[in-house]
Amino acid sequence: MGSSYIAVELRSQVREHDRNRCCYCITTETNSGIRMTFDHIFPRAKSGKTTFDNLCLACRSCNEFKSNITESIDDTTGKAVELFNPRHHVWPSHFEWSADGTEILGKTEIGRVTVTALQMNNLVIVATRRRWVSVGWHPPVEN
């Protein structure tokens, strides 16, 4: 869960608000089998603070791929674009699920760069989502 100290009360507040799921790819601990991490949305390495407004739950995969980046190049426009910020952006405004519920698609520049930078449709997670769908799981439509 990172090397920074996060008070128990703040951890609980973030977990409750984020409904124990990754704010980026919406996976839950139950689906992944791995405990969520606490992500500094604006990284500590860039002077990000350990506050509610700068923390969110993230699955280990999204957190590791995000690392300390805050923006990336949009392949469609060639512009540098900020990554999705779960405390300021609304998930369905920037992302949607593929028709079969196995891939996350970026609807905006922010969505596209976040899907790419965090590798939100890597082979392992897509295979896992296929298994979830095969047993009746439906991806959430809101965050």
Side-chain angles (χ1 to χ4, degrees), residues 3-138:
S3 60
S4 69
Y5 174 76
I6 301 172
V8 172
E9 184 177 313
L10 182 55
R11 287 175 185 265
S12 294
Q13 182 184 12
V14 170
R15 280 189 171 284
E16 182 178 329
H17 182 273
D18 296 345
R19 293 176 264 164
N20 289 308
R21 64 183 186 190
C22 178
C23 286
Y24 300 106
C25 73
I26 314 297
T27 194
T28 64
E29 289 178 347
T30 303
N31 286 346
S32 70
I34 300 172
R35 192 127 170 106
M36 291 290 142
T37 62
F38 290 87
D39 176 52
H40 284 80
I41 299 163
F42 191 79
R44 288 182 57 226
K46 295 182 178 182
S47 302
K49 305 295 181 205
T50 302
T51 62
F52 176 80
D53 288 336
N54 194 45
L55 288 173
C56 71
L57 287 183
C59 69
R60 189 150 314 271
S61 178
C62 284
N63 198 354
E64 287 179 4
F65 284 118
K66 181 176 173 280
S67 186
N68 68 351
I69 62 172
T70 57
E71 66 179 33
S72 190
I73 302 298
D74 179 18
D75 291 336
T76 302
T77 65
K79 294 187 334 189
V81 176
E82 69 178 319
L83 295 182
F84 177 75
N85 180 326
R87 294 293 179 256
H88 297 285
H89 300 129
V90 178
W91 200 92
S93 297
H94 297 282
F95 306 100
E96 63 187 352
W97 290 96
S98 62
D100 66 358
T102 63
E103 292 190 28
I104 297 173
L105 309 173
K107 294 167 48 175
T108 63
E109 292 175 327
I110 289 171
R112 288 191 302 266
V113 299
T114 304
V115 166
T116 301
L118 277 57
Q119 299 186 31
M120 293 164 70
N121 295 315
N122 67 68
L123 294 175
V124 173
I125 194 61
V126 169
T128 301
R129 291 179 190 142
R130 278 197 187 100
R131 284 194 304 274
W132 301 339
V133 168
S134 74
V135 296
W137 176 81
H138 301 286

